[in-house]
Amino acid sequence: MSNESRTALIGIIVENENSVEALNGLLHDYRRSIIGRMGVPHPQKEMSIISIAIEADQDTISALSGKLGALEGVSTKTIYSRG
């Protein structure tokens, strides 16, 4: 894959509260690439919705998204800018 920098948005749904510490640890590990983060609790469904804006090469973005999605009760979807 290319080392060219990409801008992307990682959408995260957290349905297992026990995965939050590991999730935050991963976001800390990738903090140099993260542009911004917004989290919205959804108490009626006992879940959290998080969006991560990130600027990095595609391998880095894919690695973070994959690691997040591998956590129990965590789902992710990544969208990339065109350029």
Side-chain angles (χ1 to χ4, degrees):
M1 292 208 178
S2 171
N3 285 336
E4 181 180 323
S5 181
R6 303 281 309 267
T7 303
L9 178 70
I10 303 174
I12 307 165
I13 301 288
V14 182
E15 297 178 285
N16 183 345
E17 187 177 308
N18 295 326
S19 294
V20 171
E21 187 174 340
L23 182 144
N24 284 326
L26 285 168
L27 296 180
H28 179 77
D29 292 345
Y30 285 82
R31 68 191 175 278
R32 288 179 183 82
S33 300
I34 293 174
I35 300 166
R37 168 184 177 170
M38 180 180 70
V40 180
H42 192 337
Q44 292 137 334
K45 298 255 181 165
E46 297 183 359
M47 70 171 63
S48 296
I49 304 158
I50 303 169
S51 60
I52 304 295
I54 186 168
E55 177 78 25
D57 61 85
Q58 190 164 350
D59 289 344
T60 299
I61 296 168
S62 294
L64 174 57
S65 183
K67 290 175 184 178
L68 291 168
L71 297 174
E72 186 176 334
V74 176
S75 303
T76 65
K77 186 72 172 181
T78 304
I79 56 173
Y80 292 89
S81 66
R82 295 188 192 270

